[in-house]
Amino acid sequence: MRTLTVHHLGFMEYTAAWEVQRQLARQRSSGQIGDTLLLVEHPPVITLGNKARPDHIRAAPEELAARGVAVVQSDRGGEVTYHAPGQLVAYPIFKLSQHGSDVGRYVRGLEESVIRVLTSYGITGERVAGLTGVWVRGGAAKICAIGVKLSASGVTTHGLALNVDPDLSGFDLIVPCGITDRGVTSLAAEYGVAPPLAEVAERLVGQIGEVFDLRPVVTVQQSV
């Protein structure tokens, strides 16, 4: 079984974590490292994927500045999303050829990993036909957003954002993932209490390892 090196980056600005991803993606592409997973929390930030519409940011720049919310144009797939403390963000740096060479299958694997984590808390996670991510309550609310990028050399970056216990009012600043008729929720809201982020992270690492047939080797550090 191949190993999965897991880096806990702690609390890190989105752009700094993005640069770490780029560095590791280059190393993964050249074969210097194996499959790697970054786990991180971001300060409040709105990110725009390659399909995002500017008018899906509902708040004026002055309000965003007053609330300390950054805005970043990302190179990931998808539309607009929001990151904040209390959200577990996972960035797999995988060589896709070792996982079926199919982006759709890869995304389904990320969804499956999250669904299994939710199951461990007694929550039914679901897919919604035609949409990406993990949902609850019959698709009424999204609990995990997913947006990825595949490099020319077949290495993945970006990934998933699982709402553990963020301030959900931040999602009112945007049209989440460009969807107007469904809500956003968190593990804390569905479970009744907020499980420790470190506990959720441990379960997510285990499930990603199982789904992608990798043996996790965990490091705890602030930089790589």
Side-chain angles (χ1 to χ4, degrees), residues 166-222:
D167 178 359
L168 294 176
S169 70
F171 289 93
D172 295 336
L173 302 171
I174 63 172
V175 179
C177 301
I179 300 168
T180 58
D181 60 347
R182 300 173 190 263
V184 177
T185 189
S186 66
L187 207 163
E190 302 300 318
Y191 188 52
V193 296
L197 198 76
E199 176 186 280
V200 181
E202 182 179 6
R203 295 188 187 192
L204 180 62
V205 167
Q207 294 302 336
I208 289 176
E210 286 192 18
V211 169
F212 291 96
D213 196 25
L214 297 166
R215 180 174 60 83
V217 177
V218 179
T219 68
V220 179
Q221 57 190 70
Q222 296 300 309

Short mmCIF file of all heavy atoms in Angstrom, two decimals, residues 166-222:
data_model
loop_
_atom_site.label_atom_id
_atom_site.label_comp_id
_atom_site.label_asym_id
_atom_site.label_seq_id
_atom_site.Cartn_x
_atom_site.Cartn_y
_atom_site.Cartn_z
N PRO A 166 -18.13 26.53 11.52
CA PRO A 166 -17.85 27.92 11.18
C PRO A 166 -19.06 28.80 11.49
O PRO A 166 -20.17 28.29 11.70
CB PRO A 166 -17.59 27.86 9.67
CG PRO A 166 -18.50 26.76 9.22
CD PRO A 166 -18.49 25.74 10.34
N ASP A 167 -18.85 30.10 11.48
CA ASP A 167 -19.96 31.05 11.56
C ASP A 167 -20.66 31.03 10.20
O ASP A 167 -20.17 31.59 9.23
CB ASP A 167 -19.44 32.44 11.89
CG ASP A 167 -20.54 33.48 11.96
OD1 ASP A 167 -21.72 33.14 11.72
OD2 ASP A 167 -20.22 34.66 12.22
N LEU A 168 -21.82 30.39 10.16
CA LEU A 168 -22.50 30.20 8.89
C LEU A 168 -23.03 31.50 8.30
O LEU A 168 -23.38 31.55 7.11
CB LEU A 168 -23.65 29.19 9.04
CG LEU A 168 -23.22 27.76 9.37
CD1 LEU A 168 -24.46 26.88 9.59
CD2 LEU A 168 -22.35 27.17 8.26
N SER A 169 -23.10 32.56 9.09
CA SER A 169 -23.58 33.84 8.55
C SER A 169 -22.65 34.37 7.47
O SER A 169 -23.06 35.17 6.63
CB SER A 169 -23.73 34.88 9.66
OG SER A 169 -22.47 35.29 10.17
N GLY A 170 -21.40 33.91 7.45
CA GLY A 170 -20.48 34.34 6.40
C GLY A 170 -20.92 33.93 5.02
O GLY A 170 -20.61 34.59 4.03
N PHE A 171 -21.70 32.84 4.94
CA PHE A 171 -22.18 32.39 3.64
C PHE A 171 -23.26 33.31 3.08
O PHE A 171 -23.57 33.25 1.89
CB PHE A 171 -22.69 30.95 3.73
CG PHE A 171 -21.59 29.94 3.90
CD1 PHE A 171 -21.20 29.52 5.16
CD2 PHE A 171 -20.93 29.42 2.80
CE1 PHE A 171 -20.19 28.60 5.33
CE2 PHE A 171 -19.90 28.49 2.95
CZ PHE A 171 -19.53 28.08 4.22
N ASP A 172 -23.82 34.17 3.94
CA ASP A 172 -24.79 35.16 3.44
C ASP A 172 -24.13 36.22 2.57
O ASP A 172 -24.82 36.96 1.86
CB ASP A 172 -25.49 35.85 4.62
CG ASP A 172 -26.34 34.90 5.44
OD1 ASP A 172 -26.76 33.85 4.89
OD2 ASP A 172 -26.57 35.18 6.63
N LEU A 173 -22.79 36.28 2.61
CA LEU A 173 -22.06 37.26 1.81
C LEU A 173 -21.99 36.86 0.34
O LEU A 173 -21.63 37.69 -0.50
CB LEU A 173 -20.64 37.43 2.36
CG LEU A 173 -20.50 37.87 3.81
CD1 LEU A 173 -19.05 37.78 4.26
CD2 LEU A 173 -21.03 39.30 3.98
N ILE A 174 -22.32 35.61 0.04
CA ILE A 174 -22.16 35.09 -1.32
C ILE A 174 -23.39 34.29 -1.73
O ILE A 174 -24.28 34.04 -0.92
CB ILE A 174 -20.91 34.17 -1.42
CG1 ILE A 174 -21.09 32.93 -0.52
CG2 ILE A 174 -19.63 34.94 -1.05
CD1 ILE A 174 -20.01 31.87 -0.70
N VAL A 175 -23.41 33.91 -2.99
CA VAL A 175 -24.33 32.87 -3.47
C VAL A 175 -23.50 31.58 -3.49
O VAL A 175 -22.74 31.36 -4.43
CB VAL A 175 -24.89 33.19 -4.86
CG1 VAL A 175 -25.82 32.08 -5.33
CG2 VAL A 175 -25.59 34.54 -4.87
N PRO A 176 -23.58 30.76 -2.46
CA PRO A 176 -22.65 29.64 -2.34
C PRO A 176 -22.70 28.70 -3.54
O PRO A 176 -23.74 28.16 -3.88
CB PRO A 176 -23.12 28.93 -1.06
CG PRO A 176 -23.85 29.98 -0.28
CD PRO A 176 -24.52 30.84 -1.33
N CYS A 177 -21.54 28.56 -4.18
CA CYS A 177 -21.42 27.69 -5.35
C CYS A 177 -22.41 28.05 -6.45
O CYS A 177 -22.74 27.22 -7.30
CB CYS A 177 -21.56 26.22 -4.95
SG CYS A 177 -20.34 25.70 -3.71
N GLY A 178 -22.89 29.29 -6.43
CA GLY A 178 -23.82 29.76 -7.45
C GLY A 178 -25.22 29.19 -7.33
O GLY A 178 -26.02 29.31 -8.26
N ILE A 179 -25.54 28.58 -6.18
CA ILE A 179 -26.84 27.91 -5.99
C ILE A 179 -27.71 28.78 -5.08
O ILE A 179 -27.33 29.09 -3.94
CB ILE A 179 -26.63 26.51 -5.38
CG1 ILE A 179 -25.78 25.66 -6.32
CG2 ILE A 179 -27.98 25.84 -5.12
CD1 ILE A 179 -25.28 24.38 -5.71
N THR A 180 -28.88 29.15 -5.57
CA THR A 180 -29.73 30.08 -4.83
C THR A 180 -30.84 29.40 -4.03
O THR A 180 -31.43 30.03 -3.15
CB THR A 180 -30.39 31.09 -5.79
OG1 THR A 180 -31.16 30.35 -6.77
CG2 THR A 180 -29.33 31.91 -6.51
N ASP A 181 -31.15 28.16 -4.32
CA ASP A 181 -32.33 27.53 -3.72
C ASP A 181 -32.00 26.44 -2.71
O ASP A 181 -32.87 25.62 -2.37
CB ASP A 181 -33.24 26.96 -4.81
CG ASP A 181 -32.54 25.90 -5.66
OD1 ASP A 181 -31.29 25.78 -5.57
OD2 ASP A 181 -33.24 25.20 -6.41
N ARG A 182 -30.79 26.40 -2.22
CA ARG A 182 -30.40 25.43 -1.20
C ARG A 182 -29.57 26.14 -0.14
O ARG A 182 -28.89 27.13 -0.42
CB ARG A 182 -29.61 24.27 -1.81
CG ARG A 182 -30.37 23.48 -2.87
CD ARG A 182 -29.49 22.45 -3.54
NE ARG A 182 -30.14 21.87 -4.72
CZ ARG A 182 -30.79 20.71 -4.71
NH1 ARG A 182 -30.88 20.01 -3.59
NH2 ARG A 182 -31.34 20.24 -5.81
N GLY A 183 -29.58 25.61 1.07
CA GLY A 183 -28.88 26.26 2.17
C GLY A 183 -27.48 25.70 2.40
O GLY A 183 -26.98 24.85 1.66
N VAL A 184 -26.86 26.20 3.45
CA VAL A 184 -25.54 25.75 3.89
C VAL A 184 -25.65 25.38 5.37
O VAL A 184 -26.32 26.07 6.14
CB VAL A 184 -24.48 26.84 3.70
CG1 VAL A 184 -23.12 26.38 4.23
CG2 VAL A 184 -24.36 27.23 2.23
N THR A 185 -25.02 24.30 5.76
CA THR A 185 -25.08 23.87 7.15
C THR A 185 -23.70 23.42 7.61
O THR A 185 -22.72 23.51 6.87
CB THR A 185 -26.13 22.75 7.32
OG1 THR A 185 -26.33 22.51 8.72
CG2 THR A 185 -25.71 21.47 6.61
N SER A 186 -23.64 22.92 8.83
CA SER A 186 -22.37 22.48 9.41
C SER A 186 -22.58 21.19 10.18
O SER A 186 -23.71 20.81 10.53
CB SER A 186 -21.81 23.55 10.36
OG SER A 186 -22.66 23.69 11.49
N LEU A 187 -21.48 20.53 10.48
CA LEU A 187 -21.54 19.32 11.27
C LEU A 187 -22.13 19.64 12.65
O LEU A 187 -22.94 18.89 13.18
CB LEU A 187 -20.14 18.72 11.38
CG LEU A 187 -20.01 17.21 11.59
CD1 LEU A 187 -18.59 16.76 11.26
CD2 LEU A 187 -20.38 16.77 12.98
N ALA A 188 -21.72 20.77 13.22
CA ALA A 188 -22.23 21.16 14.54
C ALA A 188 -23.74 21.35 14.51
O ALA A 188 -24.46 20.92 15.43
CB ALA A 188 -21.54 22.44 15.00
N ALA A 189 -24.25 22.00 13.47
CA ALA A 189 -25.70 22.24 13.38
C ALA A 189 -26.47 20.95 13.22
O ALA A 189 -27.57 20.80 13.79
CB ALA A 189 -25.99 23.18 12.21
N GLU A 190 -25.94 20.00 12.48
CA GLU A 190 -26.64 18.76 12.24
C GLU A 190 -26.47 17.76 13.38
O GLU A 190 -27.37 16.97 13.66
CB GLU A 190 -26.15 18.12 10.92
CG GLU A 190 -26.31 19.00 9.69
CD GLU A 190 -27.75 19.39 9.42
OE1 GLU A 190 -28.63 18.52 9.55
OE2 GLU A 190 -27.99 20.58 9.10
N TYR A 191 -25.33 17.81 14.04
CA TYR A 191 -25.00 16.85 15.10
C TYR A 191 -25.52 17.32 16.46
O TYR A 191 -25.75 16.51 17.36
CB TYR A 191 -23.49 16.67 15.13
CG TYR A 191 -22.95 15.59 16.03
CD1 TYR A 191 -23.42 14.27 15.95
CD2 TYR A 191 -21.94 15.87 16.94
CE1 TYR A 191 -22.89 13.28 16.76
CE2 TYR A 191 -21.40 14.87 17.75
CZ TYR A 191 -21.89 13.59 17.66
OH TYR A 191 -21.36 12.59 18.47
N GLY A 192 -25.67 18.62 16.60
CA GLY A 192 -26.15 19.18 17.86
C GLY A 192 -25.08 19.81 18.71
O GLY A 192 -25.34 20.73 19.49
N VAL A 193 -23.85 19.34 18.58
CA VAL A 193 -22.69 19.93 19.24
C VAL A 193 -21.55 19.95 18.24
O VAL A 193 -21.57 19.21 17.25
CB VAL A 193 -22.28 19.16 20.51
CG1 VAL A 193 -23.37 19.22 21.57
CG2 VAL A 193 -21.94 17.71 20.18
N ALA A 194 -20.54 20.77 18.52
CA ALA A 194 -19.40 20.86 17.62
C ALA A 194 -18.34 19.84 18.02
O ALA A 194 -17.73 19.98 19.09
CB ALA A 194 -18.82 22.26 17.66
N PRO A 195 -18.10 18.83 17.22
CA PRO A 195 -17.00 17.92 17.54
C PRO A 195 -15.66 18.63 17.36
O PRO A 195 -15.56 19.58 16.57
CB PRO A 195 -17.16 16.79 16.52
CG PRO A 195 -17.90 17.40 15.39
CD PRO A 195 -18.76 18.48 15.97
N PRO A 196 -14.63 18.23 18.08
CA PRO A 196 -13.32 18.87 17.92
C PRO A 196 -12.83 18.77 16.48
O PRO A 196 -12.94 17.70 15.86
CB PRO A 196 -12.42 18.09 18.88
CG PRO A 196 -13.35 17.46 19.87
CD PRO A 196 -14.61 17.16 19.11
N LEU A 197 -12.30 19.86 15.98
CA LEU A 197 -11.82 19.86 14.60
C LEU A 197 -10.74 18.79 14.41
O LEU A 197 -10.69 18.13 13.36
CB LEU A 197 -11.28 21.25 14.24
CG LEU A 197 -11.13 21.52 12.74
CD1 LEU A 197 -12.50 21.80 12.13
CD2 LEU A 197 -10.21 22.72 12.50
N ALA A 198 -9.88 18.63 15.41
CA ALA A 198 -8.82 17.63 15.29
C ALA A 198 -9.38 16.22 15.17
O ALA A 198 -8.84 15.38 14.44
CB ALA A 198 -7.88 17.71 16.50
N GLU A 199 -10.49 15.96 15.85
CA GLU A 199 -11.13 14.66 15.76
C GLU A 199 -11.70 14.43 14.36
O GLU A 199 -11.54 13.35 13.77
CB GLU A 199 -12.24 14.57 16.80
CG GLU A 199 -13.06 13.28 16.74
CD GLU A 199 -14.23 13.34 17.71
OE1 GLU A 199 -13.99 13.10 18.92
OE2 GLU A 199 -15.37 13.62 17.27
N VAL A 200 -12.37 15.45 13.83
CA VAL A 200 -12.93 15.34 12.47
C VAL A 200 -11.80 15.15 11.46
O VAL A 200 -11.90 14.34 10.54
CB VAL A 200 -13.77 16.58 12.13
CG1 VAL A 200 -14.36 16.45 10.72
CG2 VAL A 200 -14.88 16.78 13.15
N ALA A 201 -10.71 15.89 11.65
CA ALA A 201 -9.57 15.76 10.75
C ALA A 201 -9.01 14.35 10.76
O ALA A 201 -8.69 13.77 9.71
CB ALA A 201 -8.48 16.76 11.13
N GLU A 202 -8.90 13.76 11.95
CA GLU A 202 -8.38 12.39 12.06
C GLU A 202 -9.28 11.41 11.32
O GLU A 202 -8.80 10.52 10.60
CB GLU A 202 -8.26 12.00 13.53
CG GLU A 202 -7.69 10.60 13.74
CD GLU A 202 -7.56 10.25 15.22
OE1 GLU A 202 -8.02 11.04 16.07
OE2 GLU A 202 -7.01 9.17 15.51
N ARG A 203 -10.59 11.59 11.48
CA ARG A 203 -11.52 10.70 10.78
C ARG A 203 -11.46 10.90 9.27
O ARG A 203 -11.54 9.93 8.51
CB ARG A 203 -12.94 10.93 11.30
CG ARG A 203 -13.11 10.55 12.76
CD ARG A 203 -14.57 10.61 13.21
NE ARG A 203 -14.69 10.42 14.65
CZ ARG A 203 -15.82 10.20 15.29
NH1 ARG A 203 -16.96 10.14 14.63
NH2 ARG A 203 -15.84 10.04 16.61
N LEU A 204 -11.32 12.15 8.84
CA LEU A 204 -11.24 12.41 7.40
C LEU A 204 -9.99 11.79 6.80
O LEU A 204 -10.04 11.18 5.73
CB LEU A 204 -11.27 13.92 7.14
CG LEU A 204 -11.21 14.33 5.67
CD1 LEU A 204 -12.41 13.80 4.89
CD2 LEU A 204 -11.12 15.85 5.53
N VAL A 205 -8.86 11.94 7.48
CA VAL A 205 -7.63 11.33 6.99
C VAL A 205 -7.80 9.83 6.85
O VAL A 205 -7.40 9.23 5.84
CB VAL A 205 -6.45 11.66 7.94
CG1 VAL A 205 -5.24 10.79 7.62
CG2 VAL A 205 -6.08 13.13 7.84
N GLY A 206 -8.40 9.20 7.85
CA GLY A 206 -8.60 7.77 7.78
C GLY A 206 -9.47 7.35 6.62
O GLY A 206 -9.18 6.36 5.92
N GLN A 207 -10.53 8.10 6.38
CA GLN A 207 -11.44 7.74 5.29
C GLN A 207 -10.82 8.01 3.92
O GLN A 207 -11.02 7.23 2.98
CB GLN A 207 -12.77 8.49 5.44
CG GLN A 207 -13.56 8.09 6.67
CD GLN A 207 -13.89 6.61 6.72
OE1 GLN A 207 -13.93 5.92 5.70
NE2 GLN A 207 -14.11 6.11 7.92
N ILE A 208 -10.09 9.11 3.77
CA ILE A 208 -9.39 9.34 2.50
C ILE A 208 -8.40 8.22 2.24
O ILE A 208 -8.27 7.72 1.10
CB ILE A 208 -8.70 10.72 2.51
CG1 ILE A 208 -9.77 11.83 2.42
CG2 ILE A 208 -7.70 10.85 1.36
CD1 ILE A 208 -9.21 13.24 2.52
N GLY A 209 -7.71 7.78 3.29
CA GLY A 209 -6.79 6.66 3.14
C GLY A 209 -7.50 5.40 2.65
O GLY A 209 -7.02 4.71 1.75
N GLU A 210 -8.66 5.12 3.24
CA GLU A 210 -9.40 3.91 2.84
C GLU A 210 -9.94 4.02 1.42
O GLU A 210 -9.82 3.09 0.63
CB GLU A 210 -10.56 3.68 3.82
CG GLU A 210 -10.13 3.15 5.17
CD GLU A 210 -11.31 2.67 5.99
OE1 GLU A 210 -12.38 2.43 5.40
OE2 GLU A 210 -11.15 2.52 7.21
N VAL A 211 -10.53 5.15 1.09
CA VAL A 211 -11.14 5.31 -0.23
C VAL A 211 -10.10 5.25 -1.34
O VAL A 211 -10.34 4.65 -2.40
CB VAL A 211 -11.94 6.63 -0.29
CG1 VAL A 211 -12.37 6.95 -1.72
CG2 VAL A 211 -13.18 6.55 0.61
N PHE A 212 -8.94 5.86 -1.10
CA PHE A 212 -7.92 5.93 -2.14
C PHE A 212 -6.81 4.90 -1.96
O PHE A 212 -5.80 4.94 -2.67
CB PHE A 212 -7.34 7.34 -2.21
CG PHE A 212 -8.31 8.37 -2.73
CD1 PHE A 212 -9.06 9.14 -1.85
CD2 PHE A 212 -8.51 8.54 -4.08
CE1 PHE A 212 -9.97 10.08 -2.32
CE2 PHE A 212 -9.43 9.47 -4.57
CZ PHE A 212 -10.16 10.24 -3.68
N ASP A 213 -7.01 3.97 -1.01
CA ASP A 213 -6.06 2.86 -0.79
C ASP A 213 -4.66 3.40 -0.49
O ASP A 213 -3.68 3.01 -1.13
CB ASP A 213 -6.04 1.93 -2.01
CG ASP A 213 -5.40 0.58 -1.68
OD1 ASP A 213 -5.41 0.18 -0.51
OD2 ASP A 213 -4.87 -0.06 -2.62
N LEU A 214 -4.59 4.29 0.50
CA LEU A 214 -3.34 4.88 0.92
C LEU A 214 -3.19 4.72 2.43
O LEU A 214 -4.17 4.75 3.17
CB LEU A 214 -3.30 6.38 0.57
CG LEU A 214 -3.35 6.74 -0.92
CD1 LEU A 214 -3.65 8.23 -1.08
CD2 LEU A 214 -2.05 6.38 -1.61
N ARG A 215 -1.95 4.57 2.89
CA ARG A 215 -1.68 4.48 4.32
C ARG A 215 -1.18 5.84 4.83
O ARG A 215 -0.09 6.27 4.48
CB ARG A 215 -0.63 3.39 4.60
CG ARG A 215 -0.28 3.23 6.09
CD ARG A 215 0.64 2.05 6.30
NE ARG A 215 1.89 2.20 5.58
CZ ARG A 215 2.94 2.91 6.05
NH1 ARG A 215 2.87 3.52 7.20
NH2 ARG A 215 4.06 2.98 5.33
N PRO A 216 -1.99 6.52 5.65
CA PRO A 216 -1.60 7.86 6.09
C PRO A 216 -0.40 7.84 7.04
O PRO A 216 -0.30 7.02 7.94
CB PRO A 216 -2.85 8.38 6.81
CG PRO A 216 -3.97 7.52 6.32
CD PRO A 216 -3.37 6.18 6.07
N VAL A 217 0.50 8.78 6.80
CA VAL A 217 1.62 9.06 7.70
C VAL A 217 1.49 10.54 8.05
O VAL A 217 1.67 11.40 7.20
CB VAL A 217 2.98 8.77 7.04
CG1 VAL A 217 4.11 9.14 7.99
CG2 VAL A 217 3.07 7.31 6.63
N VAL A 218 1.17 10.82 9.31
CA VAL A 218 0.78 12.17 9.70
C VAL A 218 1.94 12.94 10.29
O VAL A 218 2.69 12.41 11.13
CB VAL A 218 -0.39 12.12 10.69
CG1 VAL A 218 -0.81 13.52 11.13
CG2 VAL A 218 -1.58 11.38 10.08
N THR A 219 2.09 14.18 9.87
CA THR A 219 3.01 15.11 10.51
C THR A 219 2.18 16.29 11.02
O THR A 219 1.14 16.62 10.48
CB THR A 219 4.07 15.65 9.52
OG1 THR A 219 3.43 16.48 8.55
CG2 THR A 219 4.79 14.53 8.82
N VAL A 220 2.66 16.90 12.11
CA VAL A 220 2.00 18.08 12.66
C VAL A 220 3.00 19.21 12.61
O VAL A 220 4.00 19.22 13.33
CB VAL A 220 1.51 17.85 14.10
CG1 VAL A 220 0.84 19.11 14.64
CG2 VAL A 220 0.54 16.68 14.16
N GLN A 221 2.78 20.15 11.74
CA GLN A 221 3.73 21.23 11.56
C GLN A 221 3.03 22.41 10.92
O GLN A 221 1.91 22.32 10.41
CB GLN A 221 4.90 20.78 10.70
CG GLN A 221 4.48 20.25 9.32
CD GLN A 221 5.63 19.59 8.60
OE1 GLN A 221 6.08 18.53 8.97
NE2 GLN A 221 6.11 20.23 7.57
N GLN A 222 3.67 23.56 10.95
CA GLN A 222 3.10 24.78 10.43
C GLN A 222 3.55 25.07 9.00
O GLN A 222 3.01 25.95 8.35
CB GLN A 222 3.44 25.96 11.33
CG GLN A 222 2.84 25.85 12.73
CD GLN A 222 1.32 25.77 12.69
OE1 GLN A 222 0.66 26.59 12.06
NE2 GLN A 222 0.76 24.78 13.35
#
